[in-house]
Amino acid sequence: AQSVTQLDSQVPVFEEAPVELRCNYSSSVSVYLFWYVQYPNQGLQLLLKYLSGSTLVKSINGFEAEFNKSQTSFHLRKPSVHISDTAEYFCAVSENQAGTALIFGKGTTLSVSS
Amino acid sequence: GAVVSQHPSRVICKSGTSVKIECRSLDFQATTMFWYRQFPKQSLMLMATSNEGSKATYEQGVEKDKFLINHASLTLSTLTVTSAHPEDSSFYICSARDERGPGELFFGEGSRLTVL
């Protein structure tokens, strides 16, 4: 079975500051890793994913995450955040095969203020 | 990307009634869909795996008689909350994997159930 730990429940930052949201996972098999973002009263939107290949993955809005197998981590980073990045961020893991569900971390609330 | 649609997006019902939530994959077929429940300001909890043409697989602690799941076609899964009570009020989200692709799950917009 897999599990996900998001170490920070809330991360407050100022606009244009860098941010890192931490995610660690545990699994006995190879995994896929995901970051999802959820705005208030909305569903989930995929931010980025690691399936295979390059361990550094990037989103179109400036976020990136690096898969570190030895540390079983998949931390999310952005060098300069905007007010509009304020949202709930979920790290998720699944086995790397079809038909398996995603297991989510508890989420991190990113609050960006001016 | 692939699209998953949920309906209704919001529903309010009286205690004791049953509510059905639909989850459709609009442009792909999904032999497997997943139902999650999200409490306010909490994470998503996997409730069950919906399998086309067979019984759903429920996670530990989820009452199968209360949360009825039917996956009658490759594009539709339904979740029926039977004899709803206020504690069933929650945000229910379905997801499906486009098996043509490498592994991404696509999520519906969610359905907010309020039981009075």
Side-chain angles (χ1 to χ4, degrees), chain A residues 27-48:
Chain A
S27 176
S28 57
V29 298
S30 296
V31 297
Y32 294 144
L33 292 158
F34 305 82
W35 276 99
Y36 284 86
V37 59
Q38 185 179 36
Y39 299 99
N41 295 311
Q42 294 188 27
L44 295 174
Q45 299 175 31
L46 179 67
L47 192 58
L48 44 76

Side-chain angles (χ1 to χ4, degrees), chain A residues 32 34 36 38 41-44 46 49 51 88 90 94-95 97-107, chain B residues 10 32 34 36 38 41-46 49 91 93 97 99 102-110 112:
Chain A
Y32 294 144
F34 305 82
Y36 284 86
Q38 185 179 36
N41 295 311
Q42 294 188 27
L44 295 174
L46 179 67
K49 60 189 177 186
L51 304 179
E88 190 79 13
F90 293 98
S94 76
E95 292 182 23
Q97 58 179 318
T100 58
L102 284 182
I103 304 301
F104 286 86
K106 293 187 175 182
Chain B
R10 291 178 180 271
T32 305
F34 305 96
Y36 291 85
Q38 185 179 30
K41 299 194 181 297
Q42 294 190 33
S43 187
L44 284 79
M45 180 191 76
L46 179 65
T49 301
F91 195 51
I93 305 176
R97 192 186 304 275
E99 293 167 9
E104 179 182 346
L105 274 184
F106 295 92
F107 285 82
E109 308 93 332
R112 183 163 301 283

Side-chain angles (χ1 to χ4, degrees), chain B residues 39-91:
Chain B
F39 292 100
K41 299 194 181 297
Q42 294 190 33
S43 187
L44 284 79
M45 180 191 76
L46 179 65
M47 297 176 65
T49 301
S50 173
N51 304 299
E52 188 270 335
S54 64
K55 292 182 179 180
T57 305
Y58 290 82
E59 296 298 304
Q60 190 174 6
V62 178
E63 298 176 62
K64 60 180 67 176
D65 294 331
K66 179 163 196 58
F67 298 101
L68 300 179
I69 291 173
N70 183 278
H71 195 152
S73 78
L74 287 171
T75 58
L76 174 64
S77 175
T78 60
L79 168 67
T80 301
V81 183
T82 63
S83 186
H85 289 96
E87 57 265 31
D88 299 325
S89 299
S90 194
F91 195 51

Side-chain angles (χ1 to χ4, degrees), chain A residues 15-73:
Chain A
E15 193 173 20
E16 298 183 4
V19 70
E20 177 180 79
L21 307 184
R22 296 180 291 172
C23 173
N24 287 89
Y25 70 93
S26 70
S27 176
S28 57
V29 298
S30 296
V31 297
Y32 294 144
L33 292 158
F34 305 82
W35 276 99
Y36 284 86
V37 59
Q38 185 179 36
Y39 299 99
N41 295 311
Q42 294 188 27
L44 295 174
Q45 299 175 31
L46 179 67
L47 192 58
L48 44 76
K49 60 189 177 186
Y50 170 78
L51 304 179
S52 64
S54 173
T55 57
L56 181 65
V57 290
K58 300 184 178 185
S59 72
I60 58 174
N61 56 354
F63 284 95
E64 63 180 36
E66 185 159 21
F67 169 53
N68 188 317
K69 189 174 182 179
S70 63
Q71 297 186 8
T72 61
S73 68

